[in-house]
Amino acid sequence: MRTLAHSIAIAFAGGAALAPFAAQAANDDIQKVVVTAQSRSQSAQDVPISMEVVTARDIQNLGAKNLGDLNGYLPGLQVDATQATQPVFGIRGVQPGDFGIGTDTPVGIYVDGVYTGKTGGALMNFIDIQRVEVLKGPQGTLFGRNSAAGAISVVTNEPDDNLDVAGHVKVGNYNRVNMDAMLNLPLGKDTAARLVVVRAASDGWVRNTTTGTRTGGDNSWATRLSLKQKIKDATINLSWEHEQLRQHGWPAFGVVKDPALPQSGYTGVYDAAYIANFVDPRKAPLENDTDGRERRVFDGVTLRAELPLGGVTLRSTTAFRTFSSSNLTDNDGTSRADFRLSTDDHKNAYNWQQEFKLSGKTDTLDWIAGVSFYDNRERQTSSAIVNTATLDTISQMQGGAADFATLFAGLAQAGVPGVDGSSNFSWGEHTYSRLHSRAVSVYEDIIWHVTPATNLTTGVRWSRDRKTMQWYVPARQSPELDALLNTYGPAAGLDASSLPANVVFGAAGQLAATPVNASHSWSDWSPRVVLDHKLTGDLLLFASLSQGYQAGGYNVFTPPNPASADAKARDPSFAPEKMTNLELGFKLYLPSIRATLNGSLFAYRFKNLQDIKLGGTGAISTYNIVSSDQQAKGLDLDGRIRVAPGVTLFAGLELIDQTYHRYQTTGSDGATLNLSGQPVGTPVFSGMAGVNGSWDAPGGRINATLQGSYHGKSRCNDDTRALQCMNAPAFRTGTAVSKADLRLAWDNASGKFGVALLVNNLFDKRYVYNLDGQTKPLGMPFASITPPRMIGLELRGSL
């Protein structure tokens, strides 16, 4: 619900604050902000949807490089960009993980109307952005795919008929170097081209003491080339976008440093006695035996056409997207030889999208109707990389014996060279998945102008989705161990086939030793009804009831069992998601005091929300799909006021009470937990506030902004309380989190040159979060910690 005059003061987690021209923008009439949240060009204050708007002025001058940099400063929006190829997006507490290709996120990410919100392709660099619209609540009628909880619409700049050149450089600590350049070139009366190049890199803020490598940084570059052609009344836009990301993975900070643990102290629960052994990861060295890495190559081509046809307008969007990504992660947080687990995830995706949209207006009706098609093909390879010493450790913790150490000692006694009881061999297991998703939808949305001050909007979308999934889990790969056993084992009646085919993916390997397939289809009607009324020219009241839908799917670690008599085992698909949302809101503009105040009361019920949770039957837990019914009620508020010439105060908050309506799961001790009625984890309160000032200075103007964000403590339940709301002697988790940012800038009088000092995390606040990992069920969780203070210097210029 934040609009231009408020969003100009938004700070970004990447270390930016107010744009150089923010004070000037703060004086602009808020009615001038035009958005396309309803697939129509409208003033933001006239749109009866709870939404946030981040403008080009914010993005171009604040240094935000992707959606992750918005986290914390748009109450109600959560973005976990810890891993660029596996980001997590949430709106109003609906923030499920999105790991496997068989699932989707209920927050749709769109760039110029093209759906991109799919795991590795969702978190892309900002490239010449005009604005970002964050729409809260179900948006399926207008946006379609996977927008059950909300949508994030990114709108880029189009080529125009002005010659324009601009550039930007940012340098900072940890060898931060960001650069971007833009060229807009008219090619004739009706033709123009626009080229943008973006580069972002830093070494990272922590050193892995095991390998000597710095990590926690980033390294990517991207480009977009756009061509715009006018043919009489028709307009055609063709764009190509390319991005490459190549950086170290996020550091995994181990909290168990005692080599006698977990074998001698972990009993299956994280009680006070055990967590007393944890060390503070903010003070302990990073010790990872695997330097994580993330890779991504993305290409996208989009063709958009707009053609007036008498009294209606036809719009066509044709898009092709492809990306390949990989994510190698240290999943034990240690460098111990007897506790090694790394995971490697590779994805390849190819999708084609087509939408045709008709729109028209009369004195009483403003209508849109359309049809869209979507075809997506993906491949995923998930690997678990361990060793025989780790498998022995796990076996002993589960009441078994150190079978491999016993085997190697026996071979040594038999005279086998180069082996003894302490020998250790690599052991890798892999799952291969393929997915083919197809979808078609038909929709309409009509605004009826009941009176000059009252509108009634009705919309509906019919969707049909079909997913075909393939699983294949071959035998483990351990070539050195196999060679040893095949060479020396026969004398003792052993060879490589004597070992289990899989240990980590044991159950899946038994069902999918050869490729197996399953298919399922779902269909849905998603309506919305909105009533809005202009009580005065500056006060809009609105009420809405809407539903959102997301297709069901499959878990990459749960293949079907075609021989089973159980229909669910033969087709292990999970049910589609459905969200119903009721909203009452207002948008108030007070031009006499240059102030805005926007608010919304909301309540929703989310059925079959798809999330991921560690579990499974293998020796090491895997991420599996779980479904729950959730509900929430809350309040969104934001506002700003100009208290003096050049001085603006701004603030925003969200209050929310989110609980499980229905959810049963299995606890760490194997007991069934009924979490119905318990909190999901979202803090009751989150907010941001700040002040911006602008003053005349020699040769130009000085702009300064100080702002901060605050998130209340996590609301844990019986399943998450042990680690996510932990109070160990060394550190705590789930605490309230605050952060402040400062920006001080000088811009010359023409606005074509400027320099700025940026300080992100001004007071160097560090927090431990996400105490988790696939070795958590074994008593060896690892943590993530927030980055330290970042300082940067920006230079920008334009012609």
Side-chain angles (χ1 to χ4, degrees):
M1 296 172 61
R2 183 174 299 121
T3 43
L4 173 66
H6 184 56
S7 65
I8 47 104
I10 291 172
F12 292 83
L18 190 68
F21 303 110
Q24 171 187 332
N27 296 331
D28 290 345
D29 189 341
I30 200 168
Q31 301 284 346
K32 295 180 181 178
V33 183
V34 176
V35 297
T36 53
Q38 297 194 112
S39 295
R40 306 162 174 90
S41 294
Q42 297 174 286
S43 165
Q45 287 297 95
D46 292 335
V47 177
I49 296 176
S50 182
M51 62 183 298
E52 314 273 357
V53 180
V54 182
T55 66
R57 189 170 284 142
D58 304 309
I59 296 168
Q60 292 173 356
N61 295 290
L62 300 180
K65 63 184 179 64
N66 59 42
L67 289 169
D69 293 335
L70 302 180
N71 191 53
Y73 288 98
L74 297 177
L77 173 68
Q78 303 90 35
V79 183
D80 183 352
T82 300
Q83 300 179 74
T85 59
Q86 293 179 5
V88 179
F89 297 90
I91 290 179
R92 289 177 171 169
V94 181
Q95 190 180 14
D98 183 20
F99 168 76
I101 60 175
T103 60
D104 295 292
T105 173
V107 177
I109 316 294
Y110 296 83
V111 177
D112 293 330
V114 177
Y115 176 72
T116 63
K118 183 61 179 171
T119 54
L123 188 70
M124 306 298 292
N125 280 321
F126 282 153
I127 307 177
D128 196 24
I129 302 301
Q130 183 183 122
R131 67 181 181 276
V132 178
E133 302 172 13
V134 180
L135 288 73
K136 301 177 181 180
Q139 305 298 325
T141 302
L142 295 169
F143 283 88
R145 287 197 59 77
N146 303 324
S147 301
I152 301 173
S153 176
V154 180
V155 181
T156 67
N157 286 310
E158 297 180 357
D160 57 40
D161 55 4
N162 296 310
L163 177 63
D164 194 6
V165 179
H168 171 274
V169 175
K170 175 183 176 181
V171 296
N173 54 346
Y174 305 107
N175 289 328
R176 160 68 62 192
V177 179
N178 290 3
M179 298 180 290
D180 63 71
M182 182 276 294
L183 170 65
N184 189 92
L185 183 64
L187 300 177
K189 178 182 177 182
D190 299 316
T191 308
R194 193 176 184 96
L195 175 65
V196 183
V197 179
V198 177
R199 178 81 166 89
S202 71
D203 288 348
W205 45 267
V206 64
R207 186 178 299 278
N208 183 353
T209 59
T210 302
T211 65
T213 303
R214 296 197 69 86
T215 187
D218 60 300
N219 183 16
S220 65
W221 73 273
T223 185
R224 176 188 288 118
L225 177 62
S226 304
L227 180 67
K228 184 175 184 178
Q229 177 69 53
K230 294 183 179 180
I231 304 174
K232 294 185 179 181
D233 293 332
T235 303
I236 298 175
N237 284 278
L238 176 65
S239 64
W240 165 71
E241 184 175 337
H242 176 81
E243 178 176 312
Q244 291 189 20
L245 178 146
R246 189 179 181 89
Q247 63 193 35
H248 291 296
W250 196 254
F253 291 88
V255 297
V256 177
K257 299 295 185 179
D258 186 342
L261 299 175
Q263 295 94 321
S264 65
Y266 184 63
T267 60
V269 294
Y270 285 96
D271 53 21
Y274 190 70
I275 65 174
N277 297 291
F278 286 3
V279 301
D280 189 341
R282 295 166 296 187
K283 301 176 182 179
L286 175 66
E287 298 173 313
N288 291 167
D289 49 25
T290 299
D291 275 326
R293 67 170 184 269
E294 288 192 86
R295 305 285 188 268
R296 179 176 60 212
V297 177
F298 171 92
D299 282 283
V301 178
T302 304
L303 176 64
R304 293 180 291 127
E306 181 175 318
L307 177 64
L309 298 173
V312 302
T313 300
L314 172 65
R315 294 179 176 88
S316 170
T317 301
T318 307
F320 175 76
R321 297 286 186 270
T322 179
F323 73 83
S324 61
S325 67
S326 65
N327 188 336
L328 175 65
T329 305
D330 186 299
N331 247 291
D332 56 75
T334 75
S335 58
R336 290 170 51 170
D338 65 337
F339 229 107
R340 182 184 184 227
L341 171 62
S342 299
T343 57
D344 199 2
D345 183 72
H346 292 253
K347 294 186 179 77
N348 297 87
Y350 311 84
N351 69 69
W352 166 82
Q353 304 171 54
Q354 175 65 58
E355 181 178 46
F356 296 106
K357 183 186 300 181
L358 279 174
S359 62
K361 289 183 179 182
T362 68
D363 291 340
T364 57
L365 296 178
D366 184 343
W367 61 270
I368 290 174
V371 59
S372 65
F373 306 91
Y374 179 78
D375 188 283
N376 179 63
R377 299 170 189 265
E378 291 187 76
R379 300 194 307 269
Q380 179 177 5
T381 302
S382 297
S383 304
I385 305 165
V386 296
N387 55 32
T388 53
T390 301
L391 295 177
D392 273 353
T393 298
I394 296 172
S395 176
Q396 290 176 303
M397 291 185 64
Q398 296 175 345
D403 297 324
F404 284 105
T406 302
L407 171 63
F408 300 148
L411 291 175
Q413 290 182 354
V416 175
V419 64
D420 57 37
S422 62
S423 295
N424 199 0
F425 292 87
S426 177
W427 180 288
E429 299 185 20
H430 313 275
T431 68
Y432 300 90
S433 306
R434 291 175 178 265
L435 176 72
H436 185 194
S437 301
R438 288 159 288 179
V440 60
S441 64
V442 181
Y443 61 93
E444 63 80 20
D445 195 76
I446 301 173
I447 300 177
W448 175 28
H449 305 302
V450 181
T451 71
T454 305
N455 297 312
L456 176 64
T457 303
T458 58
V460 66
R461 177 181 291 257
W462 175 82
S463 304
R464 182 169 178 82
D465 293 83
R466 182 171 180 82
K467 292 185 178 182
T468 300
M469 186 90 171
Q470 182 183 90
W471 296 257
Y472 175 45
V473 187
R476 58 30 182 190
Q477 295 181 5
S478 47
E480 294 181 354
L481 177 59
D482 289 351
L484 174 72
L485 293 180
N486 289 332
T487 301
Y488 299 102
L494 297 173
D495 59 24
S497 64
S498 304
L499 300 178
N502 288 284
V503 175
V504 179
F505 303 133
Q510 293 175 11
L511 295 174
T514 59
V516 293
N517 300 273
S519 296
H520 203 103
S521 297
W522 304 268
S523 59
D524 175 79
W525 293 91
S526 297
R528 79 163 182 148
V529 180
V530 185
L531 180 66
D532 67 85
H533 177 72
K534 275 289 187 77
L535 192 62
T536 69
D538 297 318
L539 175 58
L540 175 71
L541 305 177
F542 65 90
S544 67
L545 179 64
S546 56
Q547 286 191 330
Y549 153 82
Q550 178 172 292
Y554 292 98
N555 178 14
V556 295
F557 298 121
T558 308
N561 183 357
S564 175
D566 183 358
K568 184 63 178 176
R570 295 195 304 271
D571 178 16
S573 61
F574 43 83
E577 298 179 350
K578 193 78 172 182
M579 184 183 192
T580 302
N581 182 74
L582 175 65
E583 197 131 356
L584 302 173
F586 69 91
K587 295 188 176 184
L588 174 63
Y589 176 50
L590 301 171
S592 61
I593 59 173
R594 302 281 187 183
T596 62
L597 180 63
N598 302 314
S600 178
L601 290 168
F602 62 88
Y604 68 74
R605 176 75 60 85
F606 210 120
K607 186 177 182 179
N608 294 326
L609 178 62
Q610 305 156 13
D611 202 353
I612 57 175
K613 181 183 178 181
L614 283 172
T617 59
I620 296 174
S621 296
T622 56
Y623 287 102
N624 294 278
I625 304 300
V626 295
S627 294
S628 66
D629 294 349
Q630 299 182 13
Q631 58 191 7
K633 53 184 179 292
L635 168 69
D636 286 330
L637 279 176
D638 69 73
R640 62 91 185 172
I641 184 170
R642 183 186 176 199
V643 296
V647 180
T648 302
L649 303 178
F650 52 89
L653 64 86
E654 180 171 276
L655 296 170
I656 186 171
D657 177 18
Q658 183 188 23
T659 60
Y660 288 110
H661 179 68
R662 178 198 57 83
Y663 182 39
Q664 284 193 344
T665 187
T666 303
S668 59
D669 58 357
T672 299
L673 295 176
N674 184 358
L675 302 183
S676 302
Q678 296 193 33
V680 174
T682 306
V684 171
F685 175 84
S686 61
M688 60 87 64
V691 57
N692 162 246
S694 179
W695 305 271
D696 289 330
R701 290 185 68 83
I702 290 178
N703 295 277
T705 299
L706 176 65
Q707 69 286 305
S709 65
Y710 177 89
H711 292 258
K713 64 180 182 179
S714 299
R715 300 177 64 204
C716 287
N717 53 57
D718 290 345
D719 187 40
T720 60
R721 188 171 293 111
L723 290 181
Q724 301 308 318
C725 292
M726 184 189 70
N727 188 9
F731 65 97
R732 299 171 63 190
T733 60
T735 61
V737 175
S738 63
K739 185 168 72 71
D741 296 296
L742 173 69
R743 186 178 196 273
L744 182 64
W746 173 86
D747 298 281
N748 75 334
S750 68
K752 294 184 178 296
F753 173 79
V755 59
L757 173 70
L758 301 96
V759 184
N760 177 243
N761 192 9
L762 178 64
F763 301 110
D764 201 24
K765 295 280 190 176
R766 310 294 301 280
Y767 299 94
V768 181
Y769 70 99
N770 197 31
L771 191 58
D772 206 343
Q774 287 180 256
T775 51
K776 179 185 72 173
L778 301 171
M780 293 287 286
F782 63 84
S784 295
I785 60 178
T786 56
R789 177 168 46 226
M790 302 289 181
I791 302 174
L793 181 68
E794 283 187 344
L795 298 173
R796 65 170 190 84
S798 62
L799 299 181

